[in-house]
Amino acid sequence: MKQVKVFLNEKDIPRQWYNLAADLPTPLLPPLGPDGKPISPDMLAPVFPMNLIEQEVSSKRWIDIPEEVLDILYRWRPAPLRRAVYLERFLGTPARIYYKDESTSPPGSHKPNTAVPQAWYNKQFGIKRLTTETGAGQWGSALAFACNLIGLECKVFMVRISFDQKPFRKTMMQVWDAKCIASPSNETNAGRKVLKEMPDTPGSLGIAISEAIEAAVTDPTGQTRYSLGSVLNHVLLHQTIIGLEAKKQLKMASEKLPDIVIACAGGGSNFAGLSFPFVADKINGANIKIIPVEPTACPTMTRGPFAYDFGDTACTTPLLAMHTLGHAFIPPPIHAGGLRYHGMAPLVCQGIVEGLLEPRAYHQLVSYEAALTWARTEGFIPAPETSQAIAAVIDEAKKAKEEGKEKVILFNYSGHGLMDLSGYDAYLSGKLTDYELPEAELKKYIKDLEKLPKAEMRKTGKW
Ligand SMILES: Cc1ncc(COP(=O)(O)O)c(C=O)c1O
């Protein structure tokens, strides 16, 4: 039997995170304040603790992981690298398909890789309470889990549609002693405004972010901060433990570098976590195809312009240079709730502009079909977000078969789908349909960007 699981010992866990900002051939454009000028780190201080702001703006290549953070991560890390031999056999592909199994964390996804350090750095800074938003509920439950272990209060604004579709995610947050509120809510000015204009809105991550930021910055005690589960540089940094482990494990499986790296991308964190250590190899000359995958219903990377935009609907965040569908974008209620964000991590977007990354979009139905193929060969039931990556993996494995090439494909199994069975139920009973964002809708949403500063597309032209 071929080796299907590769485990690392605790002593082999990476002890530093990798920061792609140190190696990007073209630097990131700076975040801008309301006056259109680059913001200074202290302007972020009401929202984030200074120790995380330092990571956000750092250009150091390697950043130490605190021992106390590792001590919590050992509960599930190092995470297994598995080889999908049963899928390979089913497809009859010469490709070798490896996946990093991030579904083994207590909340069931990659999200605690950053929830734990974020909670830890906040606690170190003397903060008592964190607020956040959540789409699918994976991030909210991950932060609830981390805050509970570290001793912080946690309040989660959950996008209305997911709150209704995934009641058990809310229960998980309550088990870990957090408060979970449907967004838009009546608890904030941002939420009340949206509810007045659109009482039946399914909500969006952009609205929930506005609410969570407002709840943090209006705490009169000054002991509340906001925590974001994706998009920002420090979040992506924390996730690189995935790719750093995968590198060691591929070596143990006698593989060199992968030919293809794939992950789904909502705000970009699990994609960045797996791929950035390999993007560094690509910058240094390796030939690797690196594919972030998104839904056709929320085609940020494949159809959204590269522009300065706000990270939230109420326009409270700094302006970030990124691919965006416009901050007013309200996505259709597809089940991959974690992939419905209007923007994308600036580091991922700069990689796209530079030509290092090749984004791709998949329809909902083909992703569910891929998820069933996976569950009926490998056995595990993937999260709907993860299924988008699996759809791309299956395509690439079929292509390798057509070409008769022994490609090594590595992808991120970002989470399990055991809390997402209502989506599977809808698919199996034929209630789901594909949705492609109409051009006229897209134009309407991105019209707002015309009033904002323009983002220059800087690239070396090497890729
Ligand atoms: C299982 C899973 N995968 C992927 C994502 C997408 O987020 P990101 O792009 O930050 O990894 C989410 C978001 O909630 C998720 O729950």
Side-chain angles (χ1 to χ4, degrees):
M1 180 60 187
K2 291 169 189 161
Q3 185 178 16
V4 296
K5 305 183 270 315
V6 186
F7 292 108
L8 286 171
N9 286 323
E10 280 74 3
K11 70 176 171 43
D12 298 319
I13 201 166
R15 305 194 102 74
Q16 291 180 312
W17 291 300
Y18 169 65
N19 182 8
L20 180 67
D23 290 322
L24 265 183
T26 34
L28 284 183
L29 291 173
L32 305 180
D35 56 358
K37 296 202 178 115
I39 54 162
S40 59
D42 56 299
M43 289 165 80
L44 294 171
V47 185
F48 300 111
M50 199 40 89
N51 46 14
L52 284 177
I53 296 172
E54 280 163 15
Q55 288 186 353
E56 184 62 23
V57 299
S58 174
S59 53
K60 251 177 83 179
R61 182 171 293 118
W62 295 101
I63 294 179
D64 290 343
I65 309 178
E67 276 304 317
E68 287 175 43
V69 168
L70 287 174
D71 187 58
I72 295 177
L73 300 186
Y74 287 138
R75 280 174 174 75
W76 73 97
R77 301 212 78 87
L81 179 78
R82 301 184 196 274
R83 182 163 162 201
V85 285
Y86 309 97
L87 177 69
E88 288 171 19
R89 223 181 268 164
F90 173 78
L91 297 173
T93 177
R96 296 191 291 283
I97 304 171
Y98 292 89
Y99 63 104
K100 198 66 179 136
D101 189 356
E102 292 298 315
S103 74
T104 58
S105 74
S109 78
H110 63 292
K111 295 285 179 182
N113 297 332
T114 183
V116 170
Q118 286 197 48
W120 187 83
Y121 282 106
N122 271 285
K123 178 90 176 177
Q124 290 293 304
F125 197 69
I127 297 305
K128 299 268 185 286
R129 203 169 304 102
L130 287 180
T131 62
T132 196
E133 75 296 326
T134 195
Q138 291 269 21
W139 166 244
S141 53
L143 193 68
F145 157 79
C147 284
N148 188 236
L149 287 179
I150 283 167
L152 294 176
E153 289 171 35
C154 179
K155 190 177 213 178
V156 182
F157 292 86
M158 185 169 186
V159 175
R160 172 96 246 170
I161 180 84
S162 299
F163 188 88
D164 295 337
Q165 279 172 357
K166 299 180 183 182
F168 294 134
R169 278 278 163 201
K170 178 184 74 181
T171 310
M172 286 173 77
M173 293 178 225
Q174 288 167 341
V175 166
W176 283 311
D177 207 16
K179 276 212 179 86
C180 176
I181 298 147
S183 166
S185 77
N186 273 315
E187 294 213 0
T188 64
N189 285 331
R192 284 187 288 270
K193 183 164 178 277
V194 177
L195 280 177
K196 204 165 155 209
E197 287 162 12
M198 296 179 283
D200 298 325
T201 179
S204 72
L205 275 174
I207 297 168
I209 293 173
S210 301
E211 290 208 88
I213 294 178
E214 185 183 325
V217 301
T218 54
D219 172 12
T221 71
Q223 289 181 325
T224 303
R225 290 292 183 279
Y226 164 71
S227 170
L228 187 62
S230 193
V231 180
L232 297 178
N233 302 343
H234 67 276
V235 181
L236 275 52
L237 174 83
H238 300 155
Q239 293 292 356
T240 58
I241 194 166
I242 304 172
L244 295 167
E245 283 180 6
K247 257 193 177 179
K248 291 188 182 191
Q249 288 162 308
L250 279 178
K251 215 181 245 178
M252 286 163 71
S254 308
E255 300 288 4
K256 293 185 190 108
L257 286 173
D259 298 294
I260 303 168
V261 177
I262 296 172
C264 66
S269 77
N270 90 91
F271 166 76
L274 178 72
S275 71
F276 279 5
F278 298 99
V279 173
D281 293 319
K282 186 161 179 172
I283 291 169
N284 289 319
N287 182 14
I288 312 175
K289 189 158 144 187
I290 305 179
I291 310 171
V293 184
E294 65 185 6
T296 49
C298 187
T300 313
M301 298 177 289
T302 51
R303 289 175 62 201
F306 181 74
Y308 267 112
D309 195 8
F310 294 100
D312 70 327
T313 309
C315 309
T316 48
T317 71
L319 290 164
L320 301 174
M322 59 186 177
H323 285 279
T324 176
L325 299 170
H327 53 266
F329 177 71
I330 300 216
I334 54 158
H335 279 273
L339 303 180
R340 290 200 296 239
Y341 183 56
H342 69 271
M344 183 55 62
L347 274 169
V348 171
C349 294
Q350 189 55 36
I352 296 170
V353 168
E354 191 46 271
L356 288 160
L357 314 177
E358 299 168 46
R360 202 182 274 183
Y362 280 91
H363 275 294
Q364 169 160 260
L365 293 183
V366 81
S367 305
Y368 270 101
E369 204 179 296
L372 287 203
T373 302
W374 181 267
R376 292 171 184 180
T377 52
E378 290 297 311
F380 300 103
I381 299 180
E385 294 84 2
T386 313
S387 308
Q388 298 261 334
I390 297 174
V393 168
I394 292 177
D395 269 359
E396 289 298 324
K398 285 183 178 164
K399 199 160 149 225
K401 182 177 174 179
E402 280 160 27
E403 294 172 350
K405 287 192 179 150
E406 277 193 33
K407 295 264 165 94
V408 174
I409 302 174
L410 171 68
F411 84 98
N412 207 9
Y413 192 80
S414 58
H416 69 65
L418 297 176
M419 290 287 145
D420 304 287
L421 295 179
S422 58
Y424 279 91
D425 184 45
Y427 174 70
L428 291 169
S429 40
K431 288 187 199 135
L432 292 189
T433 50
D434 281 336
Y435 178 86
E436 182 137 359
L437 183 66
E439 195 57 29
E441 281 271 296
L442 174 64
K443 282 208 174 109
K444 183 186 84 187
Y445 285 122
I446 61 178
K447 188 130 187 59
D448 287 346
L449 302 173
E450 286 168 13
K451 296 175 222 139
L452 300 172
K454 298 281 160 289
E456 181 198 346
M457 306 235 321
R458 301 180 185 167
K459 58 177 166 185
T460 58
K462 276 197 206 153
W463 292 277

